[in-house]
Amino acid sequence: MDEEDSRAAQKRRAGRRAATFVADGDVVGLGTGSTAAAAIEALGDAVADGLSIRGIPTSYQSRARALEGGIPVTALDAVDEIDVAIDGADQVADGTLIKGGGGAHAREKIVDAAAERFVVVVDPSKEAARLSHPVPLEVLPSARPPVMDAVRELGGTPELRDAEAKDGPVITEQGNLVLDCDFGPIEEPAALARRLAGVPGVVEHGLFVGLADEIVVGGPDGVRVRTTA
């Protein structure tokens, strides 16, 4: 098995284990990305076997995967609560996450923060002793220059995320731009999160502080579950 296949298998293990946290009748937040996709696939299999749930997708991609898997979808304003959210991460350190590689972190944070239980699914490559991955910012297009200046004042290096399949930048589902901001090793993620949240023009940042309840890590030899509380 090559490295790519091994990584895919690890993600499937994590996703399928996280799906076991969902009970009959639950409203489930459905994250975005390859590891969250494995959880959505597992939930689709469970629905086919009789599990009754409703999913709240965090992106067009997760909605399409849920519908393909036979999972009934709903919206945040149509439910009283979200029982559990399952989502991936770009990097995890001490229960704090960096998310936004798929550009869906604004919707993801809304759903994940609203959930009674937030389960994070990753493979071991996403674990770190300290966060250092560039922090994605979703920003209003007209606010890009002053936001980039503010990021530099905070010690970061901002870069406009370019699209891969078209000319020009990535556009989020809300019609905004994404800046990937490199701060190097982040000593105080909570403090940085507060400062970024206070920058005018920032719709949402990719630091998820104090939200995760469990970290499910799919490794080459099985799955580890770590509680953050």
Side-chain angles (χ1 to χ4, degrees):
M1 180 180 292
D2 61 31
E3 182 178 354
E4 183 176 352
D5 287 339
S6 177
R7 183 77 54 80
Q10 292 167 15
K11 292 178 179 181
R12 285 194 297 272
R13 291 189 190 103
R16 291 193 170 275
R17 179 63 176 275
T20 67
F21 287 82
V22 177
D24 196 64
D26 277 354
V27 175
V28 186
L30 304 175
T32 299
S34 56
T35 315
I40 295 173
E41 180 182 356
L43 288 171
D45 292 342
V47 167
D49 289 336
L51 182 71
S52 177
I53 61 172
R54 288 178 292 165
I56 298 183
T58 56
S59 66
Y60 178 88
Q61 180 188 52
S62 58
R63 183 178 188 275
R65 283 179 169 146
L67 292 174
E68 182 179 355
I71 301 171
V73 298
T74 185
L76 187 59
D77 59 0
V79 300
D80 294 327
E81 62 181 5
I82 301 173
D83 297 288
V84 58
I86 302 174
D87 211 341
D90 298 314
Q91 193 173 52
V92 179
D94 293 329
T96 299
L97 323 174
I98 293 178
K99 291 179 52 56
H105 52 286
R107 292 191 184 186
E108 288 173 326
K109 187 175 286 187
I110 291 168
V111 171
D112 296 343
E116 290 294 318
R117 186 180 192 181
F118 176 28
V119 179
V120 181
V121 287
V122 294
D123 65 75
S125 70
K126 303 300 178 65
E127 294 184 294
R130 182 177 299 167
L131 295 177
S132 58
H133 191 279
V135 179
L137 304 184
E138 180 170 346
V139 302
L140 298 173
S142 61
R144 180 185 59 81
V147 170
M148 293 181 79
D149 288 342
V151 168
R152 294 186 186 102
E153 289 177 5
L154 291 173
T157 302
E159 182 176 342
L160 180 64
R161 187 182 297 180
D162 286 328
E164 296 182 359
K166 74 173 188 69
D167 291 335
V170 166
I171 305 297
T172 71
E173 292 183 30
Q174 289 73 241
N176 299 313
L177 303 176
V178 177
L179 299 178
D180 291 308
C181 305
D182 189 352
F183 291 93
I186 300 174
E187 301 288 343
E188 299 181 15
L192 179 59
R194 289 192 296 270
R195 294 188 181 105
L196 291 174
V199 175
V202 173
V203 175
E204 191 53 83
H205 59 75
L207 283 165
F208 285 49
V209 181
L211 294 181
D213 293 297
E214 284 97 10
I215 311 294
V216 179
V217 185
D221 300 317
V223 177
R224 291 182 284 112
V225 179
R226 180 159 50 91
T227 302
T228 62

